[in-house]
Amino acid sequence: MCGIVGYIGNQQAYPILIKGLERLEYRGYDSAGIALINDNDKLDIYKTQGKVSKLVDFCRDKDVSATIGIAHTRWATHGEPSDINAHPHVDANARIAIVHNGTIENYAILKQALIDHGCTFSSETDTEVLAQLIGYIKATNHCSLQDAVIEALNQVVGAYAIAVIDIDCPDTIIAARKSSPLVIGINPDETIIASDAGPIVEHTSKVVYLNDGEIAVARRNQPLQLIDISTAKPAKIDIKTLQLSLAQLEKGGYPHFMLKEIFEQPSTIHDCIRGRIVNGRVELSGVNLNADVFKNARRVIFVACGTSWHACLIGKRLLQELARIEAQVEYASEFRYSNPVIAPGDIVIAVSQSGETADTLAAIQLAKERGAFVYGICNVVGSSIARATQSGTYIHVGPEIGVASTKAFTGQVTVLAMLALALGQLRATIDETHAKKMTEAIVALPKLIEDTLRINDDVERLSSTFTYAHNFLYLGRGYNYPTALEGALKLKEISYIHAEGYPAAEMKHGPIALIDREMPTVFVAPADETLQKIVSNIQQVKARGGSVIAIVTRGDETVSELADYTIEIPRIVEELSPVIASIPLQLLAYHVAIKKGCDVDMPRNLAKSVTVE
């Protein structure tokens, strides 16, 4: 979940590395550090606890003239956030420096073995163990840095993305990955290494996505080399072209990335559906190329984490209702340990914004081993999930920088709706009238979202009322039970207010005991077949003195008469109502957090891409 940047070329490395860290700060911001090999072949390491801006302040009077270096933003796994535990880490002789994302599972065994051989450690991290191991192997075997890295990684159990520099090889950076992403940008006279494409895009559009079990050797003014770790033989280099613009990585005048991404949703959903609805039919290439697999599907199993799991709950209902396929939703982190029963005809659909979620990747591997057909739905082109699955669909909502997912959620739900509709048409389980109504509603989504966003000022005023709250309850039914879950997650992620989402009917089975004047309840109550049941739940909350905020369809009178506060959204078909109903919940979470003085783009203890288990 950390951010890695490396640079070797003819330019000064420091400004490129710092700008790269700023672009990756959403991946980790407990601490930051940089290692440079200067012209006198001296290894300079500067690192601090805190954000990248603190590192910049620390480096103001330091020598940063080098043209080679590696840098890191940390999200703590082993050892608390501190200057000592910050990366880069060095070997015993302080000649080799390393930055690392991932978890070395057997670090304790390796550490004890190194201690037995006379090594001493200054940090609590597993990363220092790897640095010391590489240094020990290089010194003991009198081998090259490249061979030492390969040997060390063959002894490591766990996940990693690393970048390594060595005073003895002042014109070389070595990078490697296993179950954690690394992208390498290539120019004729420079190489840039990063955890994702953000730090690379302003320098080159030509990239190589490092595969699991590969190391990359970047030498000054020489072609990139890839090597298979297990065989130590050369690997094929596949150069891709980035489909990413620099403007997508900037705030564009908004105070926060989260608010920008909320307001981008009319355009991102337009991009999501563009070219995919033709003459009243949904055309998804991943489905068309595997029509027989989907037509004969016995069951679909969704695997996902966090916000993506909420989207999958909606996808499950869409698939069952529109395509009449049995579906279930599993937390990816639990799926891999549950000894799942997978049979011929099962399809596993993995959903992830980043395409790098470690637990979801592990679930994919297990599903493939058990013989399932695995379909990926993700946002990042060229990501690990996109490459690990047999087919799939991108949501095409552009880079999402804010840690709390917004536009990715609506993009995922939109893609899942199109997938369910495509399968309903393929399997002839949906009549033409219903299909036409659904496709027209999908096409109308961007304008309806734009309409919905006009409530922003009203939600901002409303949010001031609830900054006092220590707990929130979010309730919904049917398609909007997952919307309630997602709304609660957004609030707790960025405002640090405890919030729980429940199916509204389940309120009576426990949560109603918590209702009092100090605990607001948010009801997701658009006009649908469950509305009258929702009204009954609202009355139960009001009878106990609870304060009610209701998301209602424009023109509603029944719920509005009961609720203390109402937020109106435009009318839309029931199946797509979560896309629209989630917008005010995103805004509510954002404005409450701002009123509380929270950092909405980088909330405490969270990182955007969860690349560790």
Side-chain angles (χ1 to χ4, degrees):
M1 293 161 68
C2 308
I4 290 173
V5 190
Y7 176 83
I8 182 169
N10 299 321
Q11 299 186 64
Q12 187 180 357
Y14 174 79
I16 294 171
L17 294 173
I18 290 295
K19 187 66 174 179
L21 290 186
E22 290 171 346
R23 297 215 186 280
L24 292 178
E25 198 163 11
Y26 68 93
R27 298 181 67 99
Y29 41 85
D30 294 336
S31 55
I34 190 168
L36 303 166
I37 300 178
N38 285 308
D39 291 341
N40 58 0
D41 291 344
K42 180 175 179 290
L43 182 62
D44 290 324
I45 294 181
Y46 312 125
K47 55 184 184 176
T48 62
Q49 181 183 349
K51 296 187 178 182
V52 175
S53 59
K54 189 174 178 182
L55 176 64
V56 172
D57 290 339
F58 182 76
C59 291
R60 290 194 190 282
D61 59 349
K62 305 296 189 296
D63 181 3
V64 291
S65 59
T67 57
I68 176 174
I70 55 177
H72 190 266
T73 55
R74 181 172 187 250
W75 185 89
T77 53
H78 294 78
E80 66 181 8
S82 68
D83 291 353
I84 291 175
N85 288 332
H87 297 209
H89 288 282
V90 297
D91 71 324
N93 297 313
R95 300 183 68 82
I96 296 170
I98 185 172
V99 292
H100 166 228
N101 181 19
T103 303
I104 307 302
E105 294 175 8
N106 62 337
Y107 84 99
I109 296 171
L110 295 172
K111 184 174 183 177
Q112 187 57 54
L114 289 165
I115 290 171
D116 292 344
H117 285 86
C119 293
T120 58
F121 289 81
S122 60
S123 79
E124 303 169 90
T125 69
D126 55 339
T127 302
E128 187 186 359
V129 175
L130 184 52
Q132 297 258 28
L133 179 61
I134 293 170
Y136 178 81
I137 291 170
K138 182 172 180 282
T140 304
N141 296 346
H142 305 288
C143 62
S144 67
L145 176 65
Q146 176 180 311
D147 289 342
V149 171
I150 291 174
E151 175 60 28
L153 294 180
N154 279 320
Q155 296 184 32
V156 160
V157 176
Y160 55 79
I162 62 170
V164 186
I165 56 176
D166 181 352
I167 291 176
D168 296 331
C169 311
D171 294 316
T172 302
I173 298 178
I174 291 181
R177 70 155 282 179
K178 179 183 178 184
S179 302
S180 192
L182 272 183
V183 186
I184 302 171
I186 301 172
N187 266 336
D189 57 356
E190 62 185 358
T191 302
I192 306 162
I193 298 162
S195 295
D196 64 40
I200 296 173
V201 65
E202 62 190 284
H203 301 284
T204 181
S205 63
K206 302 301 179 184
V207 297
V208 173
Y209 294 97
L210 207 58
N211 291 314
D212 263 10
E214 289 181 348
I215 72 167
V217 181
R219 293 187 176 93
R220 194 186 305 277
N221 299 322
Q222 292 188 34
L224 181 73
Q225 289 182 288
L226 298 187
I227 298 167
D228 185 292
I229 293 172
S230 61
T231 65
K233 293 182 179 179
K236 181 183 177 183
I237 295 178
D238 184 12
I239 299 175
K240 302 288 188 183
T241 301
L242 282 177
Q243 302 297 317
L244 183 64
S245 71
L246 192 58
Q248 292 176 301
L249 303 176
E250 305 290 349
K251 291 180 183 176
Y254 287 91
H256 302 93
F257 279 110
M258 183 179 179
L259 189 64
K260 177 197 175 193
E261 288 158 4
I262 291 171
F263 273 83
E264 282 180 338
Q265 287 173 109
S267 62
T268 59
I269 296 303
H270 177 268
D271 291 341
C272 178
I273 65 179
R274 182 170 52 192
R276 289 172 166 172
I277 296 181
V278 181
N279 298 324
R281 294 188 64 84
V282 175
E283 300 290 344
L284 299 178
S285 59
V287 172
N288 295 340
L289 292 171
N290 301 281
D292 288 342
V293 174
F294 282 104
K295 191 170 185 178
N296 299 310
R298 185 182 76 93
R299 179 181 57 155
V300 165
I301 304 169
F302 289 99
V303 292
C305 302
T307 283
S308 299
W309 188 83
H310 298 157
C312 288
L313 292 175
I314 299 166
K316 168 188 174 179
R317 182 155 182 163
L318 286 163
L319 271 187
Q320 292 186 161
E321 293 199 3
L322 301 182
R324 304 306 298 156
I325 301 174
E326 179 189 348
Q328 66 188 67
V329 182
E330 300 281 350
Y331 281 112
S333 56
E334 291 296 320
F335 177 79
R336 61 181 301 204
Y337 297 113
S338 66
N339 193 20
V341 177
I342 297 175
D346 286 346
I347 297 173
V348 170
I349 298 180
V351 183
S352 164
Q353 186 284 133
S354 67
E356 302 293 349
T357 309
D359 288 317
T360 306
L361 280 163
I364 288 169
Q365 182 60 36
L366 175 61
K368 289 167 73 174
E369 290 171 358
R370 299 285 178 93
F373 179 82
V374 184
Y375 196 86
I377 294 175
C378 60
N379 188 36
V380 181
V381 175
S383 60
S384 297
I385 286 176
R387 289 180 286 147
T389 50
Q390 290 152 289
S391 188
T393 301
Y394 287 115
I395 65 174
H396 289 314
V397 299
E400 188 175 64
I401 307 300
V403 168
S405 182
T406 52
K407 64 180 182 177
F409 174 74
T410 54
Q412 288 169 346
V413 174
T414 302
V415 163
L416 289 168
M418 289 191 289
L419 176 64
L421 185 52
L423 298 188
Q425 292 175 317
L426 177 68
R427 294 162 61 92
T429 55
I430 183 171
D431 63 67
E432 290 186 11
T433 301
H434 193 184
K436 183 174 184 293
K437 183 179 179 182
M438 281 291 296
T439 54
E440 288 175 348
I442 292 171
V443 170
L445 274 174
K447 286 191 178 299
L448 290 175
I449 295 172
E450 187 175 0
D451 184 9
T452 305
L453 286 167
R454 295 191 180 102
I455 64 174
N456 179 55
D457 291 347
D458 294 334
V459 176
E460 182 178 9
R461 286 190 290 271
L462 172 64
S463 67
S464 301
T465 308
F466 294 100
T467 54
Y468 71 86
H470 296 289
N471 298 281
F472 262 78
L473 187 62
Y474 284 69
L475 301 174
R477 283 179 177 255
Y479 279 105
N480 283 299
Y481 151 52
T483 311
L485 293 177
E486 176 61 11
L489 177 61
K490 290 286 91 68
L491 187 72
K492 69 178 114 180
E493 280 181 319
I494 62 172
S495 74
Y496 318 137
I497 295 173
H498 176 255
E500 293 295 332
Y502 271 88
E506 292 300 303
M507 177 188 69
K508 301 186 296 294
H509 299 278
I512 198 169
L514 301 173
I515 299 296
D516 61 21
R517 297 182 187 281
E518 301 299 315
M519 183 173 179
T521 302
V522 178
F523 280 91
V524 188
D528 60 28
E529 65 179 6
T530 68
L531 182 59
Q532 290 307 311
K533 300 292 185 182
I534 285 279
V535 168
S536 176
N537 297 135
I538 293 173
Q539 290 169 329
Q540 293 160 15
V541 170
K542 294 297 294 180
R544 288 156 179 83
S547 178
V548 171
I549 305 166
I551 312 299
V552 301
T553 301
R554 191 172 294 149
D556 170 271
E557 295 180 357
T558 305
V559 173
S560 298
E561 289 180 357
L562 295 171
D564 298 280
Y565 310 92
T566 57
I567 302 171
E568 292 190 336
I569 59 174
R571 185 177 298 273
I572 192 168
V573 296
E574 182 178 357
E575 295 93 333
L576 296 175
S577 60
V579 176
I580 302 301
S582 65
I583 306 294
L585 301 182
Q586 295 169 358
L587 290 170
L588 180 64
Y590 172 83
H591 287 298
V592 169
I594 292 298
K595 293 290 194 300
K596 286 172 63 68
C598 301
D599 187 340
V600 297
D601 282 340
M602 291 182 283
R604 69 188 183 202
N605 302 333
L606 297 178
K608 185 67 179 173
S609 301
V610 185
T611 56
V612 295
E613 297 176 25

